[in-house]
Amino acid sequence: MKMTFRWYGEDDPVTLEKLRQIPGATGVVSAIYDVPVGQAWPRERIAALKKTIEDAGLEFEVVESVPVHEDIKLGRGKRDEYIANYQENIRRLGEVGVKCICYNFMPVFDWTRTDLAHVLPDGSNALIYDPEQVKKMNPLSGELSLPGWDASYKKEDLQELFDAYSHVDEEKLWENFAYFIKAIVPVAEKAGIRMAIHPDDPPWPIFGLPRIITCEAALDRVLSIVDSPSNGLTLCVGSLGCADKNDIVKLAKKYAGMDRVPFVHARNVLKTPGGFQEAAHYAAKGSLDMPGLIKALYDCGFTGYIRPDHGRMIWGETGKPGYGLYDRALGSQYLLGLWDAVAAMEGK
Ligand code: DNO
């Protein structure tokens, strides 16, 4: 298991120097953030990113994300052009030694929350999803903005996209997904890269848009479309685990056991009726069986990448919601501690 941390580039208030001091941190997960979705990333930008990370003593083997253009998800006329650019990105990232690319297939919006700084009883704050608040949100206002969302959409673009998605139901989205991964997995295989799809977060439809990567049956379907180690999963236990239907330990055993999990996002959630609050990684603070998760990965001989996902903001830290330094650092030590404890019990 390789412990990594997401790093948002030079503008990230959490510097590489700080990440490097976290015991066990071997690398960072990053991306080129300012190239519009659908375009190829310039080789010199990729090389510069790699150099910055390696000069700080860390590895750059995981990219999160190479975003998928909406025309690919919608199956529109220009999708082949965008797929060709996507393939080119895979080749370019493979050239510099990237081993894993995380991506998602969520229509229009990435992860969704209703409050980015919900104050918890201990005075820290965390991201939450409250279904009652979601009902009051207007996705077409052009005023909603969350850290994972493409900020380039204007009001008109959103209306146009929603209209286009009114003709795309779940089956159509699956068809478009299959078209996409059949085109990219062979390129990833040649480039020595494992694609790792991120589940939908949360794993249910939002704002009337379809969401398909939500449960075990969906993950089975993803893997069966192209049966290759380069067609893999990002096991994001917080995304999957906030729905009762998903047992994260079972999913970890199954898919890591098949060696189809190149990347794990580890975070804990406290389930609430129809929603959740993000919680500290420590199992007692949330609903997820984190020791069971790590044991399942250990038992499967997991050698892939893991990163602590969304932390709370603690000790007065401010910054990118979910991506402060302190709580993610604490989380990583808990995860590594669990791993070492399992190893010790196995006598290794
Ligand atoms: C949230 C992240 C997601 C993830 C994308 C992958 O913190 O886990 O935004 O990066 O969904 O494409």
Side-chain angles (χ1 to χ4, degrees):
M1 179 170 91
K2 277 189 158 185
M3 182 58 68
T4 58
F5 288 82
R6 194 171 198 180
W7 183 63
Y8 280 98
E10 303 292 355
D11 299 336
D12 194 327
V14 182
T15 60
L16 291 172
E17 289 64 34
K18 287 179 183 159
L19 292 174
R20 192 188 178 187
Q21 291 172 1
I22 301 170
T26 58
V28 296
V29 171
S30 196
I32 307 282
Y33 291 98
D34 53 2
V35 173
V37 179
Q39 306 305 311
W41 295 354
R43 276 203 174 80
E44 56 283 6
R45 296 284 310 280
I46 299 171
L49 178 62
K50 179 183 164 77
K51 182 169 181 332
T52 306
I53 294 169
E54 289 185 349
D55 284 353
L58 291 159
E59 290 171 347
F60 175 49
E61 294 185 344
V62 185
V63 165
E64 176 179 349
S65 302
V66 180
V68 179
H69 196 277
E70 295 302 322
D71 281 13
I72 297 177
K73 297 177 212 164
L74 285 162
R76 297 208 269 210
K78 280 178 80 182
R79 73 170 153 181
D80 289 336
E81 190 183 309
Y82 291 121
I83 289 176
N85 290 345
Y86 205 102
Q87 292 169 326
E88 185 56 23
N89 272 332
I90 295 173
R91 281 190 283 265
R92 289 182 186 182
L93 291 169
E95 281 164 17
V96 302
V98 167
K99 304 273 182 273
C100 175
I101 296 177
C102 170
Y103 69 106
N104 74 75
F105 215 73
M106 286 177 256
V108 193
F109 304 117
D110 197 313
W111 55 287
T112 303
R113 302 289 184 272
T114 52
D115 187 352
L116 300 177
H118 175 78
V119 180
L120 301 172
D122 64 7
S124 62
N125 66 72
L127 304 145
I128 66 164
Y129 178 98
D130 173 353
E132 293 311 313
Q133 292 301 321
V134 174
K135 287 185 200 148
K136 296 182 198 149
M137 289 163 89
N138 174 9
L140 294 172
S141 67
E143 281 157 18
L144 295 179
S145 162
L146 283 175
W149 291 8
D150 184 334
S152 67
Y153 295 135
K154 297 192 194 52
K155 223 174 151 173
E156 315 78 78
D157 303 330
L158 287 168
Q159 186 60 58
E160 194 273 323
L161 281 171
F162 269 68
D163 291 344
Y165 274 105
S166 67
H167 306 289
V168 175
D169 60 8
E170 289 187 2
E171 261 325 293
K172 189 75 196 148
L173 194 58
W174 273 112
E175 219 177 87
N176 297 339
F177 173 69
Y179 185 92
F180 171 65
I181 52 166
K182 282 181 187 162
I184 60 161
V185 170
V187 178
E189 282 170 349
K190 273 201 201 112
I193 286 190
R194 301 184 73 183
M195 300 301 302
I197 191 165
H198 189 286
D200 300 344
D201 178 7
W204 51 74
I206 290 185
F207 306 136
L209 295 166
R211 287 193 161 196
I212 53 175
I213 315 297
T214 56
C215 61
E216 185 175 357
L219 299 177
D220 285 346
R221 187 164 175 181
V222 167
L223 299 185
S224 69
I225 294 171
V226 187
D227 187 13
S228 158
S230 286
N231 178 28
L233 309 174
T234 296
L235 189 75
C236 177
V237 298
S239 302
L240 291 163
C242 63
D244 288 335
K245 60 186 171 190
N246 294 324
D247 172 346
I248 59 152
V249 176
K250 178 177 170 222
L251 297 176
K253 270 189 198 147
K254 175 171 174 180
Y255 299 116
M258 293 162 68
D259 194 20
R260 297 295 284 274
V261 181
F263 192 21
V264 174
H265 284 183
R267 68 181 160 84
N268 196 3
V269 289
L270 181 65
K271 292 190 216 171
T272 55
F276 56 91
Q277 290 178 4
E278 298 202 358
H281 290 75
Y282 181 45
K285 289 290 180 182
S287 309
L288 303 188
D289 180 1
M290 304 304 275
L293 167 73
I294 296 297
K295 179 161 189 325
L297 294 173
Y298 184 94
D299 290 345
C300 294
F302 178 68
T303 55
Y305 306 92
I306 189 168
R307 66 171 183 79
D309 204 2
H310 304 177
R312 300 160 302 142
M313 284 298 174
I314 62 173
W315 304 335
E317 186 178 18
T318 54
K320 229 175 159 39
Y323 289 97
L325 171 64
Y326 305 139
D327 204 35
R328 284 189 299 150
L330 289 179
S332 70
Q333 298 311 290
Y334 175 63
L335 299 167
L336 288 169
L338 288 172
W339 182 275
D340 281 357
V342 176
M345 284 186 297
E346 305 287 325
K348 287 179 196 139

